Amino acid sequence: MTESLIKNKYDINLKGKDFLSLAELSSDEILFLIDEAIKLKQMQKNGEQHPFLKGKVLGMIFEKSSTRTRVSFEVGMYQLGGQAIFLSNRDIQLGRGETIYDTAKVLSRYVDGLMIRTFAHSTVEAFAKYSSVPVINGLTDLHHPTQVLADLQTIYEHKRRLEGLKMCFIGDGNNNMAHSLIEGAVKVGMDISIASPEGFMPNEEVVKNAQTVANNTGSTIQISVDPQQMIVGADVVVTDVFTSMGQEDETEERLQVFTPYQVNDELCKHANNDYIFLHCLPAHRGEEVTASIIDGPHSVVFDEAENRLHAQKAILKNLL
């Protein structure tokens, strides 16, 4: 990229701030981070060293398992010249009943930032409240902002713009990906449509707040039970697993409810001819998406997965 996505990039200062949801960032801050991610990616491709965080340490607390989140943050810190420490419930006293208050206060004395991947969003909010170092939401049941920042970066790289594009999410609307996609899309001027079964619609508060933003950016938010209607004219098609972590006992019921929401060739005929397909992975081929789509010519899922690294680095560089 030869120029910034925003005009006043030097006015952006995220140092010391938390990264809990995209709703808490301004449109310019999101565009700035995408811009930074693309530049850091190019530096890596060019073989340029970029030790912006030399001597810095990131503490990573995992209450949910992970592949992309752990590796991207750990490798990202290493490439930025710093280090990362992996902490599971079995490794720290939080898993034995120590309070978030005590854990956050103590870890803040040791590390320069905390990344937390957990269940309740209130957990990362509590860590942010009591921590004296930046706290990054690596995933909660309500939001997945680091993933969606990488998604927006991927869309920009393939479409060369964000504003005015239409994104369609098909599947469980009441999950962290749908919520963060809604928040991120309206912030950058994208239209978004959500197709979900009754009983699985997005969080009302998330939609209400996003609609306020959309009124200012000119974006639209559509929500329906009809996937064929929602995907019409889509530039970007997104889905996620039908059963997320912690919902395993609902698997059979969910498969029955969500079968009509599978992203397949027939459904995607209604998207724009040059649509791109995104999936945060892991994917279950034959369930939420067919192999012909996720492994087909419209799929950019591995570019998307790679961009987790670069988006994470942009967040780390600017917060730490």
Side-chain angles (χ1 to χ4, degrees):
M1 177 180 298
T2 57
E3 61 182 36
S4 175
L5 283 169
I6 61 172
K7 293 180 180 179
N8 301 315
K9 65 177 181 178
Y10 297 109
D11 294 339
I12 303 295
N13 183 3
L14 296 171
K15 186 175 180 179
K17 293 187 178 181
D18 300 313
F19 188 89
L20 305 187
S21 75
L22 294 179
E24 297 172 28
L25 273 67
S26 70
S27 296
D28 278 355
E29 286 172 336
I30 293 173
L31 293 172
F32 172 76
L33 287 172
I34 295 170
D35 188 58
E36 287 274 279
I38 293 171
K39 290 176 179 176
L40 288 166
K41 182 178 183 177
Q42 191 58 53
M43 292 179 76
Q44 180 186 322
K45 301 296 183 185
N46 293 341
E48 299 175 43
Q49 298 296 310
H50 42 283
F52 296 108
L53 297 182
K54 185 177 181 180
K56 301 284 188 179
V57 178
L58 176 72
M60 305 190 304
I61 299 174
F62 283 85
E63 293 188 311
K64 279 190 174 185
S65 60
S66 168
T67 299
R68 280 150 293 276
T69 299
R70 177 178 178 179
V71 176
S72 58
F73 270 106
E74 201 160 328
V75 173
M77 278 299 292
Y78 176 78
Q79 291 182 354
L80 288 167
Q83 293 181 314
I85 301 174
F86 174 82
L87 303 167
S88 72
N89 274 354
R90 295 183 298 275
D91 301 314
I92 57 178
Q93 299 300 325
L94 191 66
R96 297 179 59 214
E98 185 172 35
T99 66
I100 291 176
Y101 176 88
D102 289 349
T103 304
K105 289 289 186 182
V106 170
L107 291 180
S108 295
R109 304 287 183 106
Y110 299 149
V111 300
D112 301 285
L114 288 167
M115 188 282 297
I116 305 170
R117 184 176 170 96
T118 186
F119 293 89
H121 191 70
S122 58
T123 299
V124 295
E125 291 179 324
F127 264 98
K129 179 179 179 180
Y130 301 125
S131 171
S132 59
V133 298
V135 172
I136 301 168
N137 175 10
L139 174 145
T140 64
D141 288 343
L142 189 62
H143 297 290
H144 200 354
T146 58
Q147 174 66 56
V148 172
L149 186 67
D151 290 358
L152 294 174
Q153 176 190 346
T154 307
I155 295 166
Y156 181 81
E157 288 176 342
H158 284 270
K159 294 295 186 180
R160 306 311 302 171
R161 66 186 178 103
L162 292 170
E163 189 173 4
L165 294 177
K166 177 180 177 179
M167 177 192 295
C168 177
F169 176 86
I170 300 171
D172 185 356
N174 191 28
N175 83 347
N176 47 31
M177 277 301 298
H179 296 152
S180 288
L181 285 168
I182 292 170
E183 293 176 338
V186 298
K187 289 276 185 172
V188 299
M190 294 180 68
D191 298 326
I192 184 163
S193 60
I194 307 287
S196 301
E198 291 286 358
F200 296 92
M201 294 298 178
N203 178 282
E204 291 182 2
E205 191 68 20
V206 168
V207 175
K208 178 183 176 181
N209 293 337
Q211 187 60 61
T212 300
V213 176
N215 293 340
N216 294 323
T217 61
S219 299
T220 62
I221 303 171
Q222 293 179 291
I223 301 173
S224 171
V225 297
D226 187 347
Q228 183 173 315
Q229 181 187 34
M230 290 297 95
I231 201 174
V232 170
D235 301 290
V236 183
V237 177
V238 192
T239 192
D240 193 8
V241 292
F242 292 156
T243 306
S244 298
M245 282 180 284
Q247 301 171 335
E248 287 79 8
D249 59 340
E250 304 172 19
T251 299
E252 290 188 16
E253 176 189 348
R254 283 175 166 268
L255 286 178
Q256 293 179 359
V257 173
F258 284 104
T259 294
Y261 294 83
Q262 181 188 75
V263 177
N264 52 41
D265 293 291
E266 185 60 33
L267 182 61
C268 288
K269 287 179 182 178
H270 301 282
N272 283 346
N273 292 334
D274 61 346
Y275 80 91
I276 58 174
F277 173 76
L278 299 178
H279 191 307
C280 62
L281 303 179
H284 298 153
R285 289 165 174 80
E287 289 185 12
E288 74 273 10
V289 62
T290 59
S292 61
I293 295 296
I294 195 170
D295 299 319
H298 295 276
S299 177
V300 296
V301 296
F302 295 114
D303 291 344
E304 176 189 10
E306 178 191 346
N307 282 340
R308 287 295 302 279
L309 171 63
H310 310 299
Q312 256 70 301
K313 286 162 67 175
I315 295 167
L316 292 166
K317 172 180 178 287
N318 286 281
L319 267 60
L320 274 59

PDB file of all heavy atoms in Angstrom, residues 71-97:
ATOM      1  N   VAL A  71      -1.004 -18.987  18.205  1.00  0.00           N
ATOM      2  CA  VAL A  71       0.182 -18.942  17.355  1.00  0.00           C
ATOM      3  C   VAL A  71       0.415 -17.537  16.795  1.00  0.00           C
ATOM      4  O   VAL A  71       1.548 -17.043  16.755  1.00  0.00           O
ATOM      5  CB  VAL A  71       0.082 -19.974  16.213  1.00  0.00           C
ATOM      6  CG1 VAL A  71       1.274 -19.848  15.268  1.00  0.00           C
ATOM      7  CG2 VAL A  71       0.016 -21.389  16.784  1.00  0.00           C
ATOM      8  N   SER A  72      -0.663 -16.862  16.383  1.00  0.00           N
ATOM      9  CA  SER A  72      -0.492 -15.534  15.788  1.00  0.00           C
ATOM     10  C   SER A  72       0.030 -14.529  16.815  1.00  0.00           C
ATOM     11  O   SER A  72       0.894 -13.702  16.496  1.00  0.00           O
ATOM     12  CB  SER A  72      -1.801 -15.047  15.168  1.00  0.00           C
ATOM     13  OG  SER A  72      -2.843 -14.993  16.121  1.00  0.00           O
ATOM     14  N   PHE A  73      -0.488 -14.573  18.032  1.00  0.00           N
ATOM     15  CA  PHE A  73      -0.002 -13.653  19.055  1.00  0.00           C
ATOM     16  C   PHE A  73       1.425 -13.993  19.480  1.00  0.00           C
ATOM     17  O   PHE A  73       2.258 -13.098  19.669  1.00  0.00           O
ATOM     18  CB  PHE A  73      -0.926 -13.666  20.277  1.00  0.00           C
ATOM     19  CG  PHE A  73      -2.045 -12.656  20.196  1.00  0.00           C
ATOM     20  CD1 PHE A  73      -3.347 -13.073  19.943  1.00  0.00           C
ATOM     21  CD2 PHE A  73      -1.792 -11.303  20.360  1.00  0.00           C
ATOM     22  CE1 PHE A  73      -4.381 -12.140  19.864  1.00  0.00           C
ATOM     23  CE2 PHE A  73      -2.822 -10.380  20.282  1.00  0.00           C
ATOM     24  CZ  PHE A  73      -4.118 -10.794  20.032  1.00  0.00           C
ATOM     25  N   GLU A  74       1.725 -15.279  19.617  1.00  0.00           N
ATOM     26  CA  GLU A  74       3.045 -15.677  20.068  1.00  0.00           C
ATOM     27  C   GLU A  74       4.101 -15.355  19.006  1.00  0.00           C
ATOM     28  O   GLU A  74       5.137 -14.756  19.308  1.00  0.00           O
ATOM     29  CB  GLU A  74       3.046 -17.172  20.397  1.00  0.00           C
ATOM     30  CG  GLU A  74       4.165 -17.578  21.332  1.00  0.00           C
ATOM     31  CD  GLU A  74       3.890 -18.907  22.035  1.00  0.00           C
ATOM     32  OE1 GLU A  74       2.725 -19.228  22.310  1.00  0.00           O
ATOM     33  OE2 GLU A  74       4.878 -19.605  22.308  1.00  0.00           O
ATOM     34  N   VAL A  75       3.820 -15.722  17.769  1.00  0.00           N
ATOM     35  CA  VAL A  75       4.749 -15.427  16.675  1.00  0.00           C
ATOM     36  C   VAL A  75       4.823 -13.920  16.446  1.00  0.00           C
ATOM     37  O   VAL A  75       5.896 -13.366  16.181  1.00  0.00           O
ATOM     38  CB  VAL A  75       4.317 -16.148  15.387  1.00  0.00           C
ATOM     39  CG1 VAL A  75       5.168 -15.705  14.196  1.00  0.00           C
ATOM     40  CG2 VAL A  75       4.430 -17.660  15.558  1.00  0.00           C
ATOM     41  N   GLY A  76       3.679 -13.246  16.554  1.00  0.00           N
ATOM     42  CA  GLY A  76       3.653 -11.806  16.370  1.00  0.00           C
ATOM     43  C   GLY A  76       4.559 -11.084  17.353  1.00  0.00           C
ATOM     44  O   GLY A  76       5.329 -10.186  16.974  1.00  0.00           O
ATOM     45  N   MET A  77       4.494 -11.460  18.626  1.00  0.00           N
ATOM     46  CA  MET A  77       5.369 -10.843  19.626  1.00  0.00           C
ATOM     47  C   MET A  77       6.837 -11.138  19.317  1.00  0.00           C
ATOM     48  O   MET A  77       7.700 -10.258  19.445  1.00  0.00           O
ATOM     49  CB  MET A  77       5.016 -11.350  21.028  1.00  0.00           C
ATOM     50  CG  MET A  77       3.836 -10.653  21.671  1.00  0.00           C
ATOM     51  SD  MET A  77       4.053  -8.862  21.908  1.00  0.00           S
ATOM     52  CE  MET A  77       5.331  -8.800  23.174  1.00  0.00           C
ATOM     53  N   TYR A  78       7.115 -12.351  18.893  1.00  0.00           N
ATOM     54  CA  TYR A  78       8.500 -12.725  18.561  1.00  0.00           C
ATOM     55  C   TYR A  78       9.013 -11.876  17.394  1.00  0.00           C
ATOM     56  O   TYR A  78      10.128 -11.345  17.436  1.00  0.00           O
ATOM     57  CB  TYR A  78       8.559 -14.216  18.214  1.00  0.00           C
ATOM     58  CG  TYR A  78       9.928 -14.678  17.753  1.00  0.00           C
ATOM     59  CD1 TYR A  78      10.945 -14.919  18.675  1.00  0.00           C
ATOM     60  CD2 TYR A  78      10.200 -14.867  16.401  1.00  0.00           C
ATOM     61  CE1 TYR A  78      12.201 -15.337  18.259  1.00  0.00           C
ATOM     62  CE2 TYR A  78      11.448 -15.286  15.976  1.00  0.00           C
ATOM     63  CZ  TYR A  78      12.450 -15.519  16.904  1.00  0.00           C
ATOM     64  OH  TYR A  78      13.701 -15.922  16.486  1.00  0.00           O
ATOM     65  N   GLN A  79       8.196 -11.723  16.354  1.00  0.00           N
ATOM     66  CA  GLN A  79       8.622 -10.952  15.192  1.00  0.00           C
ATOM     67  C   GLN A  79       8.761  -9.467  15.511  1.00  0.00           C
ATOM     68  O   GLN A  79       9.532  -8.750  14.861  1.00  0.00           O
ATOM     69  CB  GLN A  79       7.641 -11.151  14.037  1.00  0.00           C
ATOM     70  CG  GLN A  79       7.682 -12.555  13.448  1.00  0.00           C
ATOM     71  CD  GLN A  79       6.741 -12.732  12.279  1.00  0.00           C
ATOM     72  OE1 GLN A  79       5.963 -11.848  11.945  1.00  0.00           O
ATOM     73  NE2 GLN A  79       6.807 -13.896  11.642  1.00  0.00           N
ATOM     74  N   LEU A  80       8.019  -8.997  16.516  1.00  0.00           N
ATOM     75  CA  LEU A  80       8.119  -7.599  16.932  1.00  0.00           C
ATOM     76  C   LEU A  80       9.241  -7.379  17.947  1.00  0.00           C
ATOM     77  O   LEU A  80       9.428  -6.266  18.445  1.00  0.00           O
ATOM     78  CB  LEU A  80       6.788  -7.133  17.528  1.00  0.00           C
ATOM     79  CG  LEU A  80       5.644  -6.948  16.523  1.00  0.00           C
ATOM     80  CD1 LEU A  80       4.317  -6.800  17.248  1.00  0.00           C
ATOM     81  CD2 LEU A  80       5.898  -5.742  15.623  1.00  0.00           C
ATOM     82  N   GLY A  81       9.988  -8.443  18.231  1.00  0.00           N
ATOM     83  CA  GLY A  81      11.140  -8.319  19.116  1.00  0.00           C
ATOM     84  C   GLY A  81      10.857  -8.610  20.569  1.00  0.00           C
ATOM     85  O   GLY A  81      11.752  -8.526  21.414  1.00  0.00           O
ATOM     86  N   GLY A  82       9.608  -8.958  20.896  1.00  0.00           N
ATOM     87  CA  GLY A  82       9.245  -9.238  22.277  1.00  0.00           C
ATOM     88  C   GLY A  82       9.057 -10.722  22.537  1.00  0.00           C
ATOM     89  O   GLY A  82       9.465 -11.572  21.742  1.00  0.00           O
ATOM     90  N   GLN A  83       8.409 -11.034  23.635  1.00  0.00           N
ATOM     91  CA  GLN A  83       8.145 -12.415  24.015  1.00  0.00           C
ATOM     92  C   GLN A  83       6.704 -12.552  24.498  1.00  0.00           C
ATOM     93  O   GLN A  83       6.081 -11.568  24.900  1.00  0.00           O
ATOM     94  CB  GLN A  83       9.096 -12.878  25.125  1.00  0.00           C
ATOM     95  CG  GLN A  83      10.556 -12.974  24.697  1.00  0.00           C
ATOM     96  CD  GLN A  83      11.431 -13.463  25.832  1.00  0.00           C
ATOM     97  OE1 GLN A  83      11.317 -12.994  26.965  1.00  0.00           O
ATOM     98  NE2 GLN A  83      12.308 -14.402  25.549  1.00  0.00           N
ATOM     99  N   ALA A  84       6.200 -13.780  24.451  1.00  0.00           N
ATOM    100  CA  ALA A  84       4.849 -14.064  24.936  1.00  0.00           C
ATOM    101  C   ALA A  84       4.895 -15.245  25.896  1.00  0.00           C
ATOM    102  O   ALA A  84       5.673 -16.186  25.702  1.00  0.00           O
ATOM    103  CB  ALA A  84       3.914 -14.369  23.771  1.00  0.00           C
ATOM    104  N   ILE A  85       4.075 -15.193  26.925  1.00  0.00           N
ATOM    105  CA  ILE A  85       3.989 -16.261  27.918  1.00  0.00           C
ATOM    106  C   ILE A  85       2.589 -16.857  27.863  1.00  0.00           C
ATOM    107  O   ILE A  85       1.592 -16.145  28.022  1.00  0.00           O
ATOM    108  CB  ILE A  85       4.262 -15.731  29.339  1.00  0.00           C
ATOM    109  CG1 ILE A  85       5.647 -15.108  29.421  1.00  0.00           C
ATOM    110  CG2 ILE A  85       4.123 -16.848  30.361  1.00  0.00           C
ATOM    111  CD1 ILE A  85       5.926 -14.441  30.764  1.00  0.00           C
ATOM    112  N   PHE A  86       2.496 -18.168  27.623  1.00  0.00           N
ATOM    113  CA  PHE A  86       1.215 -18.869  27.566  1.00  0.00           C
ATOM    114  C   PHE A  86       0.795 -19.287  28.971  1.00  0.00           C
ATOM    115  O   PHE A  86       1.562 -19.921  29.700  1.00  0.00           O
ATOM    116  CB  PHE A  86       1.327 -20.102  26.668  1.00  0.00           C
ATOM    117  CG  PHE A  86       0.093 -20.962  26.664  1.00  0.00           C
ATOM    118  CD1 PHE A  86      -0.996 -20.649  25.873  1.00  0.00           C
ATOM    119  CD2 PHE A  86       0.016 -22.095  27.471  1.00  0.00           C
ATOM    120  CE1 PHE A  86      -2.137 -21.440  25.866  1.00  0.00           C
ATOM    121  CE2 PHE A  86      -1.116 -22.893  27.476  1.00  0.00           C
ATOM    122  CZ  PHE A  86      -2.192 -22.564  26.666  1.00  0.00           C
ATOM    123  N   LEU A  87      -0.433 -18.924  29.347  1.00  0.00           N
ATOM    124  CA  LEU A  87      -0.958 -19.236  30.675  1.00  0.00           C
ATOM    125  C   LEU A  87      -2.337 -19.854  30.545  1.00  0.00           C
ATOM    126  O   LEU A  87      -3.278 -19.204  30.106  1.00  0.00           O
ATOM    127  CB  LEU A  87      -1.045 -17.962  31.522  1.00  0.00           C
ATOM    128  CG  LEU A  87       0.252 -17.178  31.720  1.00  0.00           C
ATOM    129  CD1 LEU A  87      -0.048 -15.796  32.285  1.00  0.00           C
ATOM    130  CD2 LEU A  87       1.200 -17.935  32.630  1.00  0.00           C
ATOM    131  N   SER A  88      -2.470 -21.112  30.939  1.00  0.00           N
ATOM    132  CA  SER A  88      -3.782 -21.752  30.955  1.00  0.00           C
ATOM    133  C   SER A  88      -4.312 -21.740  32.382  1.00  0.00           C
ATOM    134  O   SER A  88      -3.610 -21.333  33.320  1.00  0.00           O
ATOM    135  CB  SER A  88      -3.694 -23.191  30.451  1.00  0.00           C
ATOM    136  OG  SER A  88      -3.044 -24.015  31.412  1.00  0.00           O
ATOM    137  N   ASN A  89      -5.548 -22.183  32.566  1.00  0.00           N
ATOM    138  CA  ASN A  89      -6.120 -22.270  33.912  1.00  0.00           C
ATOM    139  C   ASN A  89      -5.278 -23.144  34.826  1.00  0.00           C
ATOM    140  O   ASN A  89      -5.243 -22.949  36.039  1.00  0.00           O
ATOM    141  CB  ASN A  89      -7.542 -22.827  33.849  1.00  0.00           C
ATOM    142  CG  ASN A  89      -8.562 -21.735  33.594  1.00  0.00           C
ATOM    143  OD1 ASN A  89      -8.224 -20.563  33.570  1.00  0.00           O
ATOM    144  ND2 ASN A  89      -9.804 -22.126  33.379  1.00  0.00           N
ATOM    145  N   ARG A  90      -4.616 -24.129  34.221  1.00  0.00           N
ATOM    146  CA  ARG A  90      -3.793 -25.047  35.017  1.00  0.00           C
ATOM    147  C   ARG A  90      -2.468 -24.410  35.422  1.00  0.00           C
ATOM    148  O   ARG A  90      -1.783 -24.910  36.306  1.00  0.00           O
ATOM    149  CB  ARG A  90      -3.535 -26.329  34.228  1.00  0.00           C
ATOM    150  CG  ARG A  90      -4.778 -27.147  33.934  1.00  0.00           C
ATOM    151  CD  ARG A  90      -4.448 -28.448  33.223  1.00  0.00           C
ATOM    152  NE  ARG A  90      -3.822 -28.199  31.929  1.00  0.00           N
ATOM    153  CZ  ARG A  90      -4.509 -27.960  30.813  1.00  0.00           C
ATOM    154  NH1 ARG A  90      -5.832 -27.939  30.837  1.00  0.00           N
ATOM    155  NH2 ARG A  90      -3.878 -27.758  29.675  1.00  0.00           N
ATOM    156  N   ASP A  91      -2.096 -23.318  34.744  1.00  0.00           N
ATOM    157  CA  ASP A  91      -0.800 -22.702  35.002  1.00  0.00           C
ATOM    158  C   ASP A  91      -0.853 -21.570  36.020  1.00  0.00           C
ATOM    159  O   ASP A  91       0.179 -21.198  36.582  1.00  0.00           O
ATOM    160  CB  ASP A  91      -0.209 -22.143  33.694  1.00  0.00           C
ATOM    161  CG  ASP A  91      -0.023 -23.224  32.643  1.00  0.00           C
ATOM    162  OD1 ASP A  91       0.507 -24.291  32.994  1.00  0.00           O
ATOM    163  OD2 ASP A  91      -0.405 -22.991  31.479  1.00  0.00           O
ATOM    164  N   ILE A  92      -2.033 -20.993  36.236  1.00  0.00           N
ATOM    165  CA  ILE A  92      -2.137 -19.855  37.139  1.00  0.00           C
ATOM    166  C   ILE A  92      -3.209 -20.113  38.202  1.00  0.00           C
ATOM    167  O   ILE A  92      -4.062 -20.987  38.047  1.00  0.00           O
ATOM    168  CB  ILE A  92      -2.464 -18.550  36.368  1.00  0.00           C
ATOM    169  CG1 ILE A  92      -3.753 -18.691  35.544  1.00  0.00           C
ATOM    170  CG2 ILE A  92      -1.298 -18.167  35.470  1.00  0.00           C
ATOM    171  CD1 ILE A  92      -4.147 -17.428  34.818  1.00  0.00           C
ATOM    172  N   GLN A  93      -3.175 -19.328  39.254  1.00  0.00           N
ATOM    173  CA  GLN A  93      -4.079 -19.546  40.384  1.00  0.00           C
ATOM    174  C   GLN A  93      -5.521 -19.130  40.096  1.00  0.00           C
ATOM    175  O   GLN A  93      -6.417 -19.421  40.882  1.00  0.00           O
ATOM    176  CB  GLN A  93      -3.557 -18.776  41.608  1.00  0.00           C
ATOM    177  CG  GLN A  93      -2.176 -19.220  42.071  1.00  0.00           C
ATOM    178  CD  GLN A  93      -2.127 -20.685  42.459  1.00  0.00           C
ATOM    179  OE1 GLN A  93      -3.086 -21.231  43.002  1.00  0.00           O
ATOM    180  NE2 GLN A  93      -1.007 -21.345  42.184  1.00  0.00           N
ATOM    181  N   LEU A  94      -5.742 -18.469  38.956  1.00  0.00           N
ATOM    182  CA  LEU A  94      -7.112 -18.113  38.568  1.00  0.00           C
ATOM    183  C   LEU A  94      -7.983 -19.356  38.498  1.00  0.00           C
ATOM    184  O   LEU A  94      -9.170 -19.325  38.827  1.00  0.00           O
ATOM    185  CB  LEU A  94      -7.087 -17.398  37.208  1.00  0.00           C
ATOM    186  CG  LEU A  94      -8.372 -16.709  36.740  1.00  0.00           C
ATOM    187  CD1 LEU A  94      -8.698 -15.531  37.650  1.00  0.00           C
ATOM    188  CD2 LEU A  94      -8.212 -16.219  35.300  1.00  0.00           C
ATOM    189  N   GLY A  95      -7.391 -20.472  38.045  1.00  0.00           N
ATOM    190  CA  GLY A  95      -8.125 -21.720  37.936  1.00  0.00           C
ATOM    191  C   GLY A  95      -8.406 -22.375  39.276  1.00  0.00           C
ATOM    192  O   GLY A  95      -9.168 -23.336  39.358  1.00  0.00           O
ATOM    193  N   ARG A  96      -7.804 -21.851  40.343  1.00  0.00           N
ATOM    194  CA  ARG A  96      -8.016 -22.412  41.685  1.00  0.00           C
ATOM    195  C   ARG A  96      -8.740 -21.431  42.591  1.00  0.00           C
ATOM    196  O   ARG A  96      -8.707 -21.556  43.808  1.00  0.00           O
ATOM    197  CB  ARG A  96      -6.670 -22.801  42.304  1.00  0.00           C
ATOM    198  CG  ARG A  96      -5.949 -23.896  41.536  1.00  0.00           C
ATOM    199  CD  ARG A  96      -4.607 -24.224  42.176  1.00  0.00           C
ATOM    200  NE  ARG A  96      -4.778 -24.674  43.565  1.00  0.00           N
ATOM    201  CZ  ARG A  96      -3.906 -24.408  44.540  1.00  0.00           C
ATOM    202  NH1 ARG A  96      -2.844 -23.667  44.284  1.00  0.00           N
ATOM    203  NH2 ARG A  96      -4.115 -24.868  45.759  1.00  0.00           N
ATOM    204  N   GLY A  97      -9.351 -20.420  41.966  1.00  0.00           N
ATOM    205  CA  GLY A  97     -10.198 -19.539  42.750  1.00  0.00           C
ATOM    206  C   GLY A  97      -9.635 -18.174  43.074  1.00  0.00           C
ATOM    207  O   GLY A  97     -10.311 -17.374  43.730  1.00  0.00           O
TER     208      GLY A  97
END
